[in-house]
Amino acid sequence: MAVRRPLTLEEREEIAVGRARDEGVREIARRIGRDPSVVSREIRRNSSRRGYRASTADRRAAQRRRRPQRQVLNTDLVLRERVLADLRYGRTPNQIAGRLKLESADASVALMEGSLPAGGETISHEAVYTWIYALPKGELARLGVMLPSRRTARGPRSSPTPPGAPGSPACAPSTTVPPKPS
């Protein structure tokens, strides 16, 4: 996998010059040695009513890189307790997210056994998975959660014996469809 390199201020200045000359995205991308999708995304993210400005784009990109990435389950304790209770009960993140969505949309939907009220909050299954895998090793076990493993034991590989082979029945069932009676 290729390493992502953030655009430099010089590359952003080249993009601004290209936009001022009404050059196409592909031409600008070829000149700075980047993929056209990178240039297109940069222009879309950082253009304003006044157009594309390199210094503004560079400042905004730096702000986006350093902003804190807060996880919902670390900030919303009610939702966190609900998700933990459902995980302890053996529910998957998909099931939890789906049920929370159902409960928030319809007030008449009752809580599942072992669930805590979430106050109408919802969360995506991706956010639950991200939170689970960001925890330190052993933290889920300390919280009393054992994730179910859906793995099954692999059995021996065996191929079916062809009809007429030694050990096969003398009269193997036919796989052809009988003709319809007229």
Side-chain angles (χ1 to χ4, degrees):
M1 177 182 258
V3 176
R4 285 186 175 184
R5 293 181 298 126
L7 287 169
T8 63
L9 180 58
E10 292 79 23
E11 289 172 325
R12 287 189 170 95
E13 288 170 351
E14 283 294 321
I15 292 172
V17 168
R19 294 298 291 170
R21 292 183 194 157
D22 284 335
E23 292 177 355
V25 170
R26 291 183 184 279
E27 190 175 341
I28 296 169
R30 192 172 22 258
R31 191 173 59 243
I32 65 173
R34 292 292 190 132
D35 197 74
S37 66
V38 172
V39 175
S40 173
R41 196 170 31 245
E42 173 69 14
I43 292 168
R44 189 178 63 245
R45 279 185 186 153
N46 296 311
S47 289
S48 65
R49 286 187 214 134
R50 297 184 331 167
Y52 181 84
R53 305 268 189 245
S55 58
T56 306
D58 197 54
R59 186 175 26 52
R60 290 175 68 192
Q63 286 173 347
R64 281 194 301 269
R65 278 194 304 271
R66 75 171 163 255
R67 69 180 161 82
Q69 302 285 325
R70 294 188 188 102
Q71 293 180 334
V72 175
L73 291 176
N74 287 337
T75 57
D76 189 345
L77 298 179
V78 172
L79 190 57
R80 178 183 173 165
E81 287 305 314
R82 164 64 185 266
V83 169
L84 278 172
D86 286 348
L87 286 171
R88 284 185 196 112
Y89 220 77
R91 296 185 180 102
T92 66
N94 286 338
Q95 291 169 332
I96 295 168
R99 187 58 184 214
L100 284 170
K101 185 177 178 183
L102 192 69
E103 289 173 9
S104 70
D106 187 4
S108 66
V109 175
L111 290 175
M112 293 187 298
E113 185 180 343
S115 292
L116 300 172
E121 295 291 321
T122 61
I123 192 167
S124 70
H125 68 280
E126 292 101 342
V128 177
Y129 277 116
T130 303
W131 179 76
I132 287 171
Y133 290 110
L135 290 174
K137 186 173 183 166
E139 185 68 13
L140 274 182
R142 190 186 67 71
L143 294 170
V145 175
M146 296 300 293
L147 295 177
S149 173
R150 300 273 189 233
R151 291 186 182 178
T152 57
R154 284 186 70 166
R157 291 184 178 217
S158 61
S159 59
T161 55
S168 66
C171 179
S174 173
T175 57
T176 59
V177 178
K180 290 183 180 180
S182 313

